[in-house]
Amino acid sequence: MIDNIYNYTPQNIQKAAEIIKCGGLVAFPTETVYGLGANVYDAKAVASIFAAKQRPRFDPLISHIAEVDFLKEYAAVDERVFALAKRFWPGPLTFVLKRIDENPSIDLACSGLRTLTVRMPRHPIALELIRKSGVPIAAPSANKYQSISPTTAQHVSEGLGDKVDMILDGGACAVGVESTILDLTGKRVVLLRAGGTAKEDIEEFLGEEILISTGNPELPSAPGQLLRHYAPRNVLRINVTQPEKDEYFIGFGTIDGHLNLSPRGDLCEAASNLFAYLRLADSKAPCGKIAIAPIPHTGLGLAINDRIQRASYK
Ligand code: TXA
Ligand code: MG
């Protein structure tokens, strides 16, 4: 393993910002998962994100920003967008907006679509890196395409260590599942991906129900909508209360196992442990089989169930 993990120091952030400005790749912590970042305006650098992840190019990237003002230049923003940003940013909520600019340098990050996908992360290292770089940072999760997202710097190093110029270590990610993605291009708000911001909280704030995307898994608008995604190497069985003898069992609440996502049944704690426990199970399952207990389908449970359903798809 290459040792390119750097602790947080002002000098290291400055060094990371220089790498971004010069067209390199920096993996950095956010409150959800680690991102693999490049200057959004540098198409060559953005192309190297796709290459490092072995990710298909139809798949647009999230632009990470530190100032809301960036939106006005590039996207059609109305009061609803600003209100949501004011309430939920910085935080694990991503907006898909109509693009209004003609700047070809961000076409690749947008995968040629007329939409811009953007969020303001809540992690101080991420925000400082964006500010010091002076550009929005395009970043998918810092893992190989379709594999488990990284929630520590070591996870990034194991999967992509030789492909990134620098990994900034910010410890374990507090939220642990990716951001919630909302399509704000139409009249009604549509949930494209359940994630770190609970659907119920958004609905309560908007005072209306949000629609759930019925994206065609054969032709997804987001690979997060692919039937198989976030996958461990081993077979995964979900909604299990009685594991088989040869299964490595991940419990939840009162259903105990080799590991327990949250003994006290806290869905936030469970989300923050999910990807690390899937990795651990992957390395420990004696017969290549993992099972996971039922997870309540409320709050962050929507995001957890979404990830494990896709991870279990054969
Ligand atoms: O929490 C997160 O969102 C993390 C951190 C690093 O910010 N990022 C992340 O990025 O999860 P990524 O690329 O792994 O997942 C973003 C998802 C992809 O499935 C992509 O297809 C979808 O968002 N997406 C991006 N732009 C889209 C668009 N315009 N329309 C539909 N889906 C879009
Ligand atoms: Mg991802």
Side-chain angles (χ1 to χ4, degrees), residues 220-243:
S221 62
Q225 294 171 346
L226 288 169
L227 288 175
R228 184 167 173 80
H229 205 69
Y230 313 104
R233 287 189 307 272
N234 291 303
V235 178
L236 175 68
R237 218 158 57 86
I238 58 176
N239 290 322
V240 174
T241 46
Q242 287 289 337

Side-chain angles (χ1 to χ4, degrees), residues 260-295:
N260 192 325
L261 285 171
S262 173
R264 57 194 159 102
D266 175 346
L267 288 165
C268 293
E269 183 183 31
S272 71
N273 286 329
L274 178 68
F275 289 138
Y277 283 13
L278 281 176
R279 278 168 193 272
L280 205 61
D282 228 5
S283 67
K284 295 232 160 124
C287 305
K289 293 183 191 169
I290 308 169
I292 193 160
I295 308 293

Side-chain angles (χ1 to χ4, degrees), residues 33 53 55 140-143 147 149 178 193 229-230:
V33 300
K53 275 185 68 88
R55 171 163 162 153
S141 50
N143 54 291
S147 65
S149 295
E178 298 86 345
R193 176 174 76 181
H229 205 69
Y230 313 104

Side-chain angles (χ1 to χ4, degrees), residues 38-267:
N39 175 358
V40 76
Y41 301 118
D42 184 334
K44 210 168 144 217
V46 172
S48 66
I49 293 180
F50 286 93
K53 275 185 68 88
Q54 298 168 347
R55 171 163 162 153
R57 296 211 179 176
F58 63 75
D59 188 6
L61 303 177
I62 298 173
S63 294
H64 295 70
I65 61 173
E67 317 295 338
V68 177
D69 275 355
F70 166 84
L71 290 180
K72 289 189 209 137
E73 252 175 81
Y74 289 94
V77 276
D78 53 18
E79 267 174 38
R80 185 179 63 179
V81 174
F82 283 123
L84 281 165
K86 192 160 176 227
R87 164 68 181 80
F88 292 101
W89 280 1
L93 186 63
T94 295
F95 303 155
V96 174
L97 303 169
K98 274 190 195 139
R99 245 179 98 178
I100 54 166
D101 71 290
E102 296 298 334
N103 185 342
S105 63
I106 64 170
D107 282 353
L108 185 57
C110 300
S111 286
L113 300 176
R114 291 305 302 161
T115 49
L116 178 79
T117 310
V118 66
R119 90 174 183 101
M120 188 186 293
R122 195 165 59 208
H123 201 293
I125 295 182
L127 290 170
E128 198 177 332
L129 178 64
I130 300 163
R131 292 203 177 101
K132 289 241 159 76
S133 303
V135 291
I137 296 184
S141 50
N143 54 291
K144 286 242 166 74
Y145 184 57
Q146 293 195 334
S147 65
I148 304 171
S149 295
T151 52
T152 66
Q154 283 71 27
H155 294 163
V156 179
S157 176
E158 283 157 24
L160 294 174
D162 56 341
K163 307 272 192 313
V164 296
D165 298 301
M166 184 173 184
I167 301 170
L168 277 172
D169 192 348
C173 301
V175 175
V177 289
E178 298 86 345
S179 60
T180 299
I181 304 183
L182 295 182
D183 182 344
L184 297 177
T185 60
K187 247 203 162 108
R188 294 289 302 272
V189 176
V190 181
L191 181 80
L192 295 181
R193 176 174 76 181
T197 300
K199 174 172 168 278
E200 295 91 325
D201 291 348
I202 303 166
E203 287 178 327
E204 191 188 310
F205 177 72
L206 289 172
E208 64 179 53
E209 228 179 278
I210 56 184
L211 305 175
I212 295 186
S213 163
T214 51
N216 174 0
E218 299 298 322
L219 203 80
S221 62
Q225 294 171 346
L226 288 169
L227 288 175
R228 184 167 173 80
H229 205 69
Y230 313 104
R233 287 189 307 272
N234 291 303
V235 178
L236 175 68
R237 218 158 57 86
I238 58 176
N239 290 322
V240 174
T241 46
Q242 287 289 337
E244 306 288 335
K245 271 212 178 78
D246 58 352
E247 282 176 327
Y248 191 88
F249 189 44
I250 304 177
F252 175 80
T254 51
I255 303 181
D256 231 345
H258 296 94
L259 299 167
N260 192 325
L261 285 171
S262 173
R264 57 194 159 102
D266 175 346
L267 288 165

